[in-house]
Amino acid sequence: MNEIYGEINIREELPQILEILLLDRTKTTAKKTRNIIWANDNYFSKGREYAPLSEIKSKLVTGIMSGVIKPRALKSRDIQKARTKQRAEVFTPVWIVKKQVDEIINSESKNNGDSFIKQKWLEITCGEAPYITTRYDMETGIQIEVEKRVGFLDRKLKLINQKFDNFSEWQLSVEQAYKATYGFEWNGDSLLIARENLLYTYIENHVAKWKKYPKESLLEEIATIISYNLFQMDGLKYIIPLSETKEKVNDGQLSLFDDEPEEYWVTKPGIRVKIMNWETNQMEYFDEGMDK
């Protein structure tokens, strides 16, 4: 894991930050916090708390269980194949990421300065978020140097590092870049890794630019943005995975051939996903305006 995660281990050394990265902002209220769910059965053998609908709790991924969630490169071949079959989960080579991100950036007429930093980016089925930040090679897990990364957020941070030598201006621009970066993922384990990758990216750029680790208050600020912007969603229905249910209904009427009332199944809609609109600082349904 050292090749990927570097010197600071968020899960073990920063418990308050981990709690933020585990939040499901759609379901969390002022009275009760709720976490993202596993949304797959890859870990069910470890106990009921690892069931698909169970929330991912910090105790389930730390301590003696710290190695449970691994990047795809470190997962067993059997699990990799199963997830490819079930959810079309695959790894994307860095050179393909670079080529595709290059195409998107080059197709934009405004691709520098403030407009580029604030340009919104949504990574669908983001997995471990390689299109946002290429922290490591998805096939081998070997870490990539900060200046050689080619994700969309990486490009923004590189520009910010070059442009600003005043820390306050640098930090403000970094936050703007993060607030403009969105992504969604079905699997809870991949989503946690994606969120961690974005936070590690902040840490590593802070170290590269300022030669020191950021204060925990800054980590909390960036982690909070990430927890809103990288979210768990069924990309076909715009709902939290597995939240759609079927219910047996008794209509109270007898059939012609039976003394028992007729029963049938109805589908109850799932929980619509909300995301943060940073311009209004209000949560909005992801699918609002999708058909307009």
Side-chain angles (χ1 to χ4, degrees), residues 56-246:
I56 303 179
K57 301 290 188 178
S58 59
K59 67 178 182 179
L60 304 178
V61 296
T62 57
I64 61 173
M65 307 306 291
S66 61
V68 168
I69 293 182
K70 302 176 182 178
R72 180 180 172 84
L74 302 184
K75 287 184 173 77
S76 71
R77 293 295 180 186
D78 288 341
I79 290 180
Q80 288 185 21
K81 290 179 180 179
R83 289 169 70 115
T84 298
K85 183 176 181 180
Q86 294 168 3
R87 298 290 168 200
E89 181 182 274
V90 296
F91 74 86
T92 307
V94 174
W95 69 270
I96 291 182
V97 172
K98 181 182 184 305
K99 187 172 183 179
Q100 293 180 328
V101 173
D102 282 345
E103 286 292 325
I104 294 172
I105 292 177
N106 292 337
S107 68
E108 298 291 333
S109 57
K110 298 178 181 179
N111 60 0
N112 54 58
D114 291 342
S115 61
F116 177 58
I117 292 169
K118 296 176 182 177
Q119 183 179 352
K120 289 184 175 66
W121 169 278
L122 170 67
E123 180 58 30
I124 64 173
T125 58
C126 67
E128 297 170 22
Y131 281 90
I132 298 174
T133 175
T134 54
R135 288 195 63 244
Y136 49 83
D137 186 287
M138 288 292 295
E139 185 174 15
T140 65
I142 296 175
Q143 190 165 349
I144 298 172
E145 296 175 27
V146 171
E147 60 273 15
K148 295 182 179 179
R149 297 175 187 175
V150 295
F152 194 76
L153 181 61
D154 296 325
R155 313 292 184 95
K156 292 186 176 187
L157 295 177
K158 187 177 296 185
L159 174 62
I160 293 169
N161 289 341
Q162 294 170 350
K163 185 174 181 181
F164 298 104
D165 289 321
N166 175 279
F167 178 77
S168 296
E169 294 177 338
W170 181 89
Q171 179 66 25
L172 177 60
S173 294
V174 168
E175 290 179 13
Q176 290 174 335
Y178 272 81
K179 286 180 177 179
T181 302
Y182 294 85
F184 67 81
E185 169 59 30
W186 174 289
N187 292 298
D189 53 350
S190 292
L191 179 59
L192 176 58
I193 292 174
R195 288 177 169 184
E196 289 175 333
N197 278 338
L198 264 68
L199 187 57
Y200 280 120
T201 291
Y202 170 74
I203 294 171
E204 290 154 354
N205 276 271
H206 189 288
V207 171
K209 177 66 176 179
W210 306 106
K211 312 305 178 188
K212 61 181 180 180
Y213 284 94
K215 296 178 180 178
E216 190 163 337
S217 60
L218 293 174
L219 293 180
E220 288 185 10
E221 182 69 29
I222 298 297
T224 297
I225 296 171
I226 294 169
S227 69
Y228 279 106
N229 281 28
L230 263 66
F231 49 95
Q232 192 163 31
M233 188 173 78
D234 176 339
L236 297 178
K237 300 178 180 178
Y238 314 128
I239 61 174
I240 291 174
L242 308 178
S243 63
E244 187 177 79
T245 58
K246 289 188 177 182

Side-chain angles (χ1 to χ4, degrees), residues 270-286:
I271 301 171
R272 292 169 68 196
V273 169
K274 293 181 179 180
I275 61 172
M276 176 61 78
N277 181 335
W278 293 105
E279 295 175 3
T280 62
N281 281 319
Q282 297 291 326
M283 295 289 284
E284 300 177 354
Y285 287 113
F286 177 84

Side-chain angles (χ1 to χ4, degrees), residues 40-52:
N40 60 60
D41 58 7
N42 296 154
Y43 309 93
F44 191 43
S45 62
K46 300 183 184 301
R48 191 172 297 176
E49 291 180 303
Y50 293 87

